[in-house]
């Protein structure tokens, strides 16, 4: 990945293991992910980027397990 792509928050992405949602500003990374068999969905994130965030910053993760409580 190039410095230019990294500056577009290219690594700030979401994946479920088969599909990756990422920014529109990283065509080389997109092509690499597709070559590795992943489906790629590109999302515009101009508003989030203005605040210093990316695609991942706008996602709500529901599959994280809560840590067990110590007793």
């Amino acid at each position: 990945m190039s410095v230019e792509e990294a500056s577009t928050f290219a690594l700030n992405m979401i994946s479920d293991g088969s599909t990756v949602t990422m920014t529109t500003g990283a065509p080389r990374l997109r092509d690499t992910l597709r070559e590795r068999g992943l489906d790629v969905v590109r999302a515009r994130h101009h508003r989030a980027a203005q605040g210093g965030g990316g695609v991942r910053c706008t996602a709500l993760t529901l599959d994280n397990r809560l840590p067990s409580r110590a007793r």
Side-chain angles (χ1 to χ4, degrees), residues 37-68:
L38 295 165
D39 292 322
V40 177
V41 176
R42 296 184 305 153
R44 295 181 188 174
H45 72 289
H46 302 308
R47 295 283 185 208
Q50 288 174 345
V55 173
R56 179 75 175 117
C57 297
T58 62
L60 173 61
T61 304
L62 298 175
D63 62 346
N64 288 345
R65 296 178 189 247
L66 295 175
S68 59

Side-chain angles (χ1 to χ4, degrees), residues 8-27:
T8 67
F9 298 96
L11 293 177
N12 190 308
M13 62 181 88
I14 306 162
S15 176
D16 66 2
S18 62
T19 302
V20 174
T21 303
M22 62 178 293
T23 182
T24 58

Side-chain angles (χ1 to χ4, degrees), residues 18-38:
S18 62
T19 302
V20 174
T21 303
M22 62 178 293
T23 182
T24 58
R28 289 178 56 200
L29 180 57
R30 177 203 61 214
D31 292 345
T32 299
L33 294 170
R34 285 182 176 161
E35 288 170 6
R36 294 183 182 193
L38 295 165

